[in-house]
Amino acid sequence: MGAVCALSLLAFPALAQDEDAERYTYATYFHCDVGMEDKADDIMKRDAPILDGLVKDGKILAWGWMSHHTGGDWRRIRYHQAASPEAAMVALETMSEAIADVHGEDDPANAEMAAACPRHDDYLWQAEAGMSGEERGKVGFSVYHFCDINREDRADEIVAEHFAPILDKMVEDGKIATWGWQSHVIGGRARRLQTMTAVDMGALLSARQEAIATIYEEDDAAGTEFSEICGPHVDYVWNIVHEAQ
């Protein structure tokens, strides 16, 4: 089954229901001091109403905060979504200014956050495909793929033509809450991001296995070709602490 644990997907709110609307995800992946990361959670909980207000006012499309459950070195994710790469970048300043308006430029939380999570990696993703059900997931599985850059467009085609119908059906049946497929715009070495969320861990892991099995049962050739293009990958499981969209 190789890399189509590909279909072991994560957690970004899925893609706009208007298929023609572009959506970009700016994600900051934090490397935190495990003994201090609860402080980072407290700061984000404090700031959540401010950022929720930016979503309500249409200044960002969505935002969220997630905590590490299983996987690599990243311990927290803060993300926001916008309608263009430029808007995603501008939103960084908008979010910072909104928080400073409430807590001041000399907010001690800035230093506390830096101490708790001193390093981070930034990515800008473009949402390519996905579906969201009525109920948001509480846990998510994400797969960061290191694809052959010369053939990654073919991987997108395989996802759209072969994987999407299977995953859409799983959303419709209530087996998963969301799934998504996002492409690299700016950031590190990962070229594609697959995401899946579910109501709880049992449902998430069960859905992951079902998705992989179904893909190979229905079109083994497509699954194998996808694995050849986007084989190397890193998996994470996340707790979805807060989302607004």
Side-chain angles (χ1 to χ4, degrees):
M1 293 187 182
V4 180
C5 48
L7 272 281
S8 48
L9 319 178
L10 162 107
F12 294 118
L15 324 188
Q17 296 301 311
D18 179 354
E19 294 182 358
D20 295 327
E22 290 190 348
R23 182 170 286 224
Y24 294 81
T25 304
Y26 190 106
T28 299
Y29 300 90
F30 289 98
H31 301 262
C32 303
D33 180 329
V34 175
M36 299 176 65
E37 59 193 9
D38 287 350
K39 183 59 179 178
D41 293 335
D42 290 342
I43 293 168
M44 295 310 304
K45 183 177 181 179
R46 183 201 72 170
D47 292 342
I50 300 170
L51 301 179
D52 289 353
L54 296 180
V55 175
K56 183 178 180 180
D57 293 342
K59 294 181 179 179
I60 54 176
L61 297 178
W63 86 278
W65 178 253
M66 291 179 282
S67 66
H68 178 279
H69 183 285
T70 301
D73 292 337
W74 292 331
R75 298 296 303 176
R76 296 293 187 273
I77 304 175
R78 184 188 64 214
Y79 74 86
H80 64 272
Q81 293 188 319
S84 70
E86 296 81 7
M89 295 294 190
V90 169
L92 288 171
E93 296 182 11
T94 301
M95 294 161 69
S96 295
E97 290 171 358
I99 293 169
D101 285 345
V102 175
H103 298 291
E105 294 290 345
D106 297 324
D107 182 4
N110 294 332
E112 293 169 355
M113 187 71 174
C117 300
R119 296 185 298 115
H120 65 271
D121 300 302
D122 296 321
Y123 273 82
L124 180 63
W125 303 101
Q126 180 175 4
E128 300 285 354
M131 185 174 181
S132 178
E134 294 182 2
E135 185 175 359
R136 299 297 303 158
K138 301 299 182 183
V139 292
F141 202 115
S142 61
V143 184
Y144 301 88
H145 290 282
F146 304 95
C147 305
D148 180 344
I149 195 170
N150 296 310
R151 295 194 292 161
E152 59 191 10
D153 287 348
R154 174 56 184 155
D156 295 339
E157 292 175 355
I158 293 170
V159 170
E161 296 172 8
H162 299 279
F163 299 172
I166 294 169
L167 296 167
D168 287 350
K169 182 66 163 52
M170 293 181 74
V171 173
E172 292 167 359
D173 291 344
K175 295 178 179 179
I176 56 176
T178 68
W179 75 272
W181 175 252
Q182 304 191 59
S183 63
H184 177 279
V185 179
I186 300 172
R189 292 180 55 246
R191 298 296 304 174
R192 293 295 187 272
L193 168 61
Q194 287 190 325
T195 69
M196 173 186 285
T197 72
V199 295
D200 57 36
M201 190 63 66
L204 180 68
L205 297 180
S206 176
R208 172 181 178 250
Q209 293 302 319
E210 180 179 338
I212 295 169
T214 304
I215 283 167
Y216 277 93
E217 287 171 2
E218 295 196 0
D219 197 331
D220 182 72
T224 299
E225 185 180 6
F226 179 89
S227 296
E228 291 171 351
I229 300 169
C230 295
H233 62 277
V234 177
D235 298 334
Y236 278 81
V237 178
W238 299 102
N239 299 306
I240 302 171
V241 178
H242 184 91
E243 288 185 332
Q245 61 175 315

